[in-house]
């Protein structure tokens, strides 16, 4: 019988920060795409891209809260 691995949270904040960076990059690319191809896109396609960016922004807010939790956890257990 194997013992469960301990929960290694030591790099969680860093991983979340990387994910935020990638998400921000995706948002920028989507905005650039909209600007460059706005005339070629239907209103529905534009709305879908804008809604996806809105969901990304909400996700970033949640990830920033997770970082706060991770930092607090690390400070408690250092």
């Amino acid at each position: 019988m194997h013992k469960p691995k301990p929960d290694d949270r030591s790099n969680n904040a860093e991983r979340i920060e990387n994910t935020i960076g990638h998400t921000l990059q995706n948002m920028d690319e989507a905005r650039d795409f909209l600007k460059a191809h706005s005339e070629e896109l239907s209103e529905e396609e534009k709305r879908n891209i804008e809604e996806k960016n809105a969901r990304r922004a909400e996700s970033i807010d949640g990830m920033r809260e997770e970082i706060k939790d991770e930092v607090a956890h690390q400070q408690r257990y250092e």
Side-chain angles (χ1 to χ4, degrees), residues 11-57:
N11 68 342
N12 281 2
E14 182 179 342
R15 287 186 305 123
I16 296 167
E17 286 174 1
N18 288 337
T19 302
I20 289 172
H22 290 292
T23 304
L24 289 169
Q25 183 177 356
N26 289 340
M27 290 174 74
D28 288 342
E29 290 173 5
R31 273 191 225 105
D32 292 345
F33 182 83
L34 268 178
K35 287 179 187 174
H37 302 283
S38 181
E39 296 173 5
E40 306 158 26
L41 298 171
S42 71
E43 290 304 312
E44 181 180 3
E45 290 169 319
K46 291 178 197 177
R47 186 175 58 253
N48 286 341
I49 292 170
E50 290 168 352
E51 288 173 354
K52 187 163 189 171
N53 266 1
R55 288 191 301 275
R56 286 174 171 146

